Coordinates of all heavy atoms in Angstrom, one line a residue:
R27 N 5.5 -16.4 15.6 CA 5.3 -15.4 16.7 C 4.5 -15.9 17.8 O 4.5 -15.3 18.9 CB 4.6 -14.2 16.0 CG 5.3 -13.6 14.9 CD 6.6 -12.8 15.2 NE 6.1 -11.6 16.0 CZ 5.8 -10.4 15.4 NH1 5.8 -10.3 14.1 NH2 5.5 -9.4 16.2
L28 N 3.9 -17.0 17.7 CA 3.1 -17.6 18.8 C 3.0 -19.1 18.7 O 2.8 -19.6 17.6 CB 1.7 -17.0 18.8 CG 0.7 -17.7 19.8 CD1 1.1 -17.5 21.2 CD2 -0.8 -17.2 19.5
R29 N 3.3 -19.8 19.7 CA 3.1 -21.3 19.8 C 2.7 -21.6 21.2 O 3.5 -21.5 22.1 CB 4.4 -22.0 19.4 CG 4.3 -23.5 19.3 CD 3.4 -23.9 18.1 NE 3.0 -25.3 18.0 CZ 3.7 -26.2 17.3 NH1 4.8 -25.9 16.7 NH2 3.2 -27.4 17.3
T30 N 1.5 -22.1 21.4 CA 1.0 -22.3 22.8 C -0.2 -23.4 22.6 O -0.9 -23.4 21.7 CB 0.6 -21.0 23.4 OG1 0.1 -21.4 24.7 CG2 -0.5 -20.4 22.8
T31 N -0.3 -24.1 23.7 CA -1.4 -25.0 23.9 C -2.4 -24.5 24.9 O -3.4 -25.2 25.3 CB -1.0 -26.4 24.3 OG1 -0.2 -26.3 25.6 CG2 -0.1 -27.1 23.3
D32 N -2.1 -23.3 25.3 CA -3.1 -22.6 26.4 C -4.0 -21.7 25.6 O -3.5 -20.6 25.2 CB -2.2 -21.9 27.4 CG -2.9 -21.2 28.4 OD1 -4.2 -21.2 28.4 OD2 -2.3 -20.6 29.4
P33 N -5.3 -21.9 25.6 CA -6.2 -21.0 25.0 C -6.2 -19.5 25.5 O -6.3 -18.6 24.7 CB -7.6 -21.6 25.2 CG -7.3 -23.1 25.5 CD -5.9 -23.1 26.2
E34 N -6.0 -19.4 26.8 CA -6.0 -18.0 27.4 C -4.7 -17.3 26.9 O -4.8 -16.1 26.6 CB -6.0 -18.1 29.0 CG -7.3 -18.5 29.6 CD -7.5 -20.0 29.4 OE1 -6.7 -20.9 29.2 OE2 -8.8 -20.4 29.4
A35 N -3.6 -17.9 26.9 CA -2.4 -17.3 26.4 C -2.5 -17.0 24.9 O -2.1 -15.9 24.5 CB -1.1 -18.2 26.6
A36 N -3.1 -17.8 24.1 CA -3.4 -17.6 22.7 C -4.2 -16.3 22.5 O -4.0 -15.5 21.6 CB -4.0 -18.8 22.0
Q37 N -5.3 -16.2 23.3 CA -6.2 -15.0 23.3 C -5.4 -13.8 23.5 O -5.5 -12.8 22.8 CB -7.3 -15.2 24.3 CG -7.9 -13.9 24.9 CD -8.9 -13.3 23.9 OE1 -9.8 -14.0 23.4 NE2 -8.8 -12.0 23.7
R38 N -4.6 -13.7 24.6 CA -3.8 -12.5 24.9 C -2.8 -12.2 23.8 O -2.7 -11.0 23.3 CB -3.0 -12.7 26.2 CG -3.9 -12.8 27.4 CD -3.0 -12.7 28.7 NE -1.9 -13.7 28.8 CZ -2.1 -14.9 29.3 NH1 -3.3 -15.2 29.9 NH2 -1.2 -15.8 29.3
E39 N -2.0 -13.2 23.2 CA -1.0 -12.9 22.3 C -1.5 -12.6 20.9 O -1.0 -11.6 20.3 CB -0.1 -14.1 22.2 CG 0.8 -14.3 23.5 CD 1.6 -13.0 23.8 OE1 2.4 -12.5 22.9 OE2 1.5 -12.4 24.8
T40 N -2.6 -13.2 20.5 CA -3.1 -12.9 19.2 C -3.8 -11.5 19.2 O -3.8 -10.7 18.2 CB -4.1 -13.9 18.7 OG1 -5.1 -14.1 19.7 CG2 -3.5 -15.2 18.4
A41 N -4.4 -11.1 20.3 CA -4.9 -9.8 20.5 C -3.8 -8.7 20.4 O -4.0 -7.7 19.8 CB -5.8 -9.7 21.7
R42 N -2.8 -9.0 21.0 CA -1.6 -8.1 21.0 C -1.0 -8.0 19.6 O -0.7 -6.8 19.1 CB -0.5 -8.6 22.0 CG 0.7 -7.6 22.1 CD 1.7 -8.2 23.0 NE 2.3 -9.4 22.6 CZ 3.2 -9.6 21.7 NH1 3.8 -8.4 21.2 NH2 3.7 -10.7 21.3
L43 N -0.8 -9.1 18.9 CA -0.2 -9.2 17.6 C -1.1 -8.5 16.5 O -0.7 -7.8 15.6 CB 0.1 -10.6 17.2 CG 1.3 -11.2 17.9 CD1 1.3 -12.7 17.5 CD2 2.6 -10.5 17.5
L44 N -2.4 -8.8 16.6 CA -3.4 -8.4 15.6 C -4.3 -7.3 16.0 O -3.9 -6.2 16.3 CB -4.1 -9.7 15.1 CG -3.3 -10.7 14.6 CD1 -4.1 -12.1 14.4 CD2 -2.5 -10.4 13.4
T45 N -5.6 -7.6 16.2 CA -6.6 -6.7 16.6 C -7.4 -7.2 17.8 O -7.5 -8.4 17.9 CB -7.6 -6.5 15.4 OG1 -6.9 -6.0 14.3 CG2 -8.7 -5.4 15.8
P46 N -7.8 -6.2 18.7 CA -8.6 -6.9 19.8 C -9.8 -7.7 19.4 O -10.5 -7.4 18.6 CB -9.0 -5.5 20.5 CG -8.0 -4.5 20.1 CD -7.7 -4.8 18.8
H47 N -9.8 -8.8 20.0 CA -10.9 -9.8 19.6 C -11.0 -10.8 20.8 O -10.2 -10.9 21.8 CB -10.5 -10.6 18.4 CG -9.3 -11.4 18.5 ND1 -8.0 -11.0 18.2 CD2 -9.1 -12.7 19.0 CE1 -7.1 -11.9 18.5 NE2 -7.8 -13.0 18.9
R48 N -12.0 -11.7 20.7 CA -12.3 -12.7 21.7 C -12.2 -14.0 21.0 O -12.8 -14.3 20.0 CB -13.7 -12.5 22.3 CG -14.1 -13.7 23.3 CD -15.5 -13.4 23.8 NE -15.5 -12.2 24.5 CZ -16.8 -11.7 25.0 NH1 -17.9 -12.3 24.7 NH2 -16.8 -10.6 25.6
L49 N -11.3 -14.9 21.6 CA -11.1 -16.2 21.0 C -11.7 -17.3 22.0 O -11.3 -17.2 23.2 CB -9.6 -16.4 20.8 CG -9.1 -17.7 20.1 CD1 -7.8 -17.5 19.4 CD2 -9.0 -18.9 21.0
R50 N -12.4 -18.2 21.5 CA -13.1 -19.1 22.3 C -12.8 -20.5 21.7 O -13.0 -20.7 20.6 CB -14.6 -18.9 22.4 CG -15.3 -19.9 23.3 CD -16.8 -19.5 23.4 NE -16.9 -18.2 24.1 CZ -18.1 -17.7 24.3 NH1 -19.2 -18.2 23.9 NH2 -18.2 -16.5 24.9
N51 N -12.4 -21.5 22.7 CA -12.1 -22.9 22.3 C -13.3 -23.7 22.5 O -13.8 -23.8 23.6 CB -10.9 -23.4 23.1 CG -10.6 -24.8 22.8 OD1 -10.9 -25.2 21.7 ND2 -10.1 -25.6 23.8
Y52 N -13.8 -24.4 21.4 CA -15.0 -25.2 21.5 C -14.6 -26.8 21.5 O -15.4 -27.6 21.7 CB -15.9 -25.0 20.3 CG -16.6 -23.7 20.4 CD1 -16.2 -22.6 19.8 CD2 -17.8 -23.6 21.2 CE1 -16.8 -21.3 19.9 CE2 -18.5 -22.4 21.3 CZ -17.9 -21.2 20.6 OH -18.6 -20.1 20.8
G53 N -13.4 -27.1 21.3 CA -12.8 -28.5 21.2 C -12.3 -28.8 22.6 O -12.4 -28.2 23.6
E54 N -11.7 -30.0 22.6 CA -11.1 -30.6 23.8 C -9.8 -29.7 24.0 O -9.1 -29.2 23.1 CB -10.6 -32.0 23.6 CG -11.8 -33.0 23.4 CD -12.7 -33.1 24.8 OE1 -12.0 -32.9 25.8 OE2 -13.8 -33.4 24.7
R55 N -9.5 -29.5 25.3 CA -8.3 -28.6 25.5 C -7.1 -29.3 25.0 O -6.1 -28.6 24.6 CB -8.2 -28.3 27.1 CG -7.2 -27.3 27.4 CD -7.1 -27.0 28.9 NE -6.2 -25.9 29.3 CZ -6.4 -24.7 29.3 NH1 -7.7 -24.2 29.2 NH2 -5.5 -23.8 29.6
S56 N -7.1 -30.6 25.0 CA -5.9 -31.3 24.5 C -5.7 -31.2 23.0 O -4.6 -31.4 22.5 CB -6.1 -32.8 24.8 OG -7.2 -33.3 24.2
E57 N -6.8 -30.8 22.3 CA -6.6 -30.5 20.9 C -6.1 -29.2 20.5 O -5.6 -29.0 19.5 CB -8.0 -30.7 20.2 CG -8.7 -32.0 20.3 CD -10.0 -32.1 19.7 OE1 -10.7 -31.0 19.6 OE2 -10.4 -33.2 19.1
F58 N -6.2 -28.3 21.5 CA -5.8 -26.8 21.1 C -4.4 -26.7 21.0 O -3.5 -27.2 21.9 CB -6.3 -25.9 22.3 CG -6.1 -24.5 22.0 CD1 -7.2 -23.8 21.3 CD2 -5.0 -23.7 22.2 CE1 -7.1 -22.4 21.0 CE2 -4.9 -22.4 22.0 CZ -5.9 -21.8 21.3
D59 N -3.9 -26.3 19.8 CA -2.4 -26.1 19.6 C -2.3 -24.8 18.6 O -2.3 -25.0 17.4 CB -1.8 -27.4 18.9 CG -0.4 -27.3 18.7 OD1 0.2 -26.3 19.3 OD2 0.2 -28.2 18.0
A60 N -2.2 -23.7 19.2 CA -2.1 -22.5 18.4 C -0.7 -22.2 17.9 O 0.3 -22.4 18.6 CB -2.5 -21.3 19.3
R61 N -0.7 -21.8 16.6 CA 0.6 -21.5 16.0 C 0.3 -20.3 15.0 O -0.5 -20.4 14.1 CB 1.2 -22.7 15.2 CG 2.6 -22.3 14.5 CD 3.0 -23.4 13.7 NE 4.2 -23.2 12.9 CZ 5.4 -23.6 13.2 NH1 5.6 -24.4 14.3 NH2 6.4 -23.3 12.5
V62 N 1.0 -19.2 15.2 CA 0.8 -18.1 14.3 C 2.3 -17.7 13.8 O 3.2 -17.4 14.5 CB 0.3 -16.9 15.1 CG1 0.3 -15.6 14.2 CG2 -1.0 -17.1 15.6

Side-chain angles (χ1 to χ4, degrees):
R27 302 288 292 273
L28 170 66
R29 186 69 189 268
T30 182
T31 58
D32 181 353
E34 288 75 22
Q37 154 78 46
R38 290 193 303 271
E39 288 304 303
T40 52
R42 183 183 63 82
L43 288 172
L44 304 172
T45 301
H47 64 270
R48 178 180 297 173
L49 187 152
R50 181 175 297 176
N51 177 29
Y52 288 93
E54 296 293 334
R55 192 178 181 95
S56 59
E57 295 179 329
F58 190 89
D59 185 11
R61 179 187 175 104
V62 177

